[in-house]
Amino acid sequence: MKITLSFEETISGDVSIMVDALRASTSITVALNNFKKVIPCFTPEEALELQEKIGGVVAGERNGKQIEGFDIGNTPVGILNYESDEDTLILTTTNGTRILESMNSKVLVGSLVNAKSVAKASCRLANDHIDVVMAGVKGKFAIEDYLAAGEILYQICESLDEYELSEYAKTAIMASRDYDALTEAFMNSRTAKRLIELDNLKDVEFSCQKNITENVAIFKNNELKLYI
């Protein structure tokens, strides 16, 4: 099995894992506790238009802030605790949902909170190539995505007997092995500082936790559903 790490765009036509650790990947993963599906939209206008047509809860952010007129922001803690009779979450975010649009492969969503589960799912789905794709922030490298990707890559390797690992992927695994250092890097990342300024410390702390859920979202027909 070929295992690689990429930034923004996948290099695999087989299986890709999108990682936007703060916060889209984490929000999508925990949303499947309460919603049957998550529909990513690429603009706030598209999200509101879709809500008018099909109902559902509309969630999202731009530059870390909840979008005016939306039911909730892109907040894993908020989404996890959100009470609604609706079974669909419509989500638009600055980075993660944008990355999904360009992937031409089987796509899973990964973060620290489901690293082991998404790794195992990718191994079941893949024929010959798993690519972990960091979303970054507006075209810039984000350390939290790199470290979350490292944990996922480590779990992939643990699940396979034979694999060919790119050197870029190896460095991410090495960087992610010290959990105390990882947590410190998460909390002091550019993204985390921005979120903390916006009173979202709980989201950052929640997203730092490893392997606390078995939920894995798979992207099919422009919808995210629970992979079983």
Side-chain angles (χ1 to χ4, degrees):
M1 184 77 70
K2 184 177 180 180
I3 305 170
T4 54
L5 176 64
S6 298
F7 178 63
E8 286 200 320
E9 296 182 1
T10 187
I11 59 171
S12 175
D14 188 9
V15 172
S16 305
I17 302 174
M18 188 279 284
V19 180
D20 184 4
L22 291 173
R23 298 170 285 177
S25 291
T26 309
S27 293
I28 290 165
T29 299
V30 300
L32 294 174
N33 280 17
N34 300 327
F35 298 93
K36 289 183 179 179
K37 61 184 176 182
V38 178
I39 302 178
C41 289
F42 309 109
T43 68
E45 294 78 15
E46 181 186 351
L48 290 170
E49 288 174 5
L50 185 60
Q51 186 188 39
E52 285 186 8
K53 291 179 181 178
I54 68 168
V57 173
V58 66
E61 54 76 26
R62 284 297 181 271
N63 301 314
K65 296 181 180 180
Q66 180 175 331
I67 299 168
E68 185 176 353
F70 275 36
D71 298 313
I72 194 169
N74 171 28
T75 160
V77 173
I79 289 170
L80 188 61
N81 295 322
Y82 192 84
E83 295 184 2
S84 173
D85 294 330
E86 300 285 351
D87 64 3
T88 300
L89 181 75
I90 301 166
L91 178 68
T92 182
T93 71
T94 304
N95 300 292
T97 51
R98 173 180 59 86
I99 298 300
L100 288 171
E101 187 177 25
S102 63
M103 290 184 168
N104 296 312
S105 61
K106 296 184 284 288
V107 179
L108 301 173
V109 175
S111 60
L112 273 180
V113 299
N114 74 336
K116 183 180 290 187
S117 295
V118 77
K120 289 181 177 179
S122 70
C123 293
R124 290 196 296 270
L125 275 174
N127 295 312
D128 54 26
H129 186 184
I130 302 169
D131 188 33
V132 180
V133 184
M134 302 174 291
V137 180
K138 295 183 176 179
K140 295 181 180 179
F141 174 87
I143 193 169
E144 66 273 9
D145 292 349
Y146 180 68
L147 294 170
E151 176 65 21
I152 293 167
L153 289 159
Y154 171 79
Q155 297 293 345
I156 292 170
C157 294
E158 288 289 291
S159 300
L160 295 171
D161 293 326
E162 296 183 8
Y163 52 84
E164 176 189 341
L165 187 65
S166 74
E167 291 190 355
Y168 193 18
K170 287 179 184 178
T171 66
I173 291 173
M174 292 168 63
S176 68
R177 289 305 81 214
D178 184 334
Y179 183 58
D180 289 339
L182 179 152
T183 302
E184 183 179 355
F186 254 72
M187 298 301 297
N188 289 288
S189 68
R190 179 178 62 247
T191 308
K193 288 179 178 178
R194 169 70 173 160
L195 292 172
I196 292 167
E197 286 176 0
L198 296 170
D199 198 28
N200 289 304
L201 173 60
K202 289 182 179 179
D203 280 344
V204 179
E205 292 174 336
F206 184 87
S207 301
C208 284
Q209 298 177 88
K210 291 198 301 185
N211 303 313
I212 60 171
T213 179
E214 295 183 355
N215 286 359
V216 177
I218 186 167
F219 187 49
K220 286 184 177 179
N221 302 318
N222 295 318
E223 295 179 349
L224 291 147
K225 294 185 176 180
L226 196 64
Y227 173 75
I228 300 174

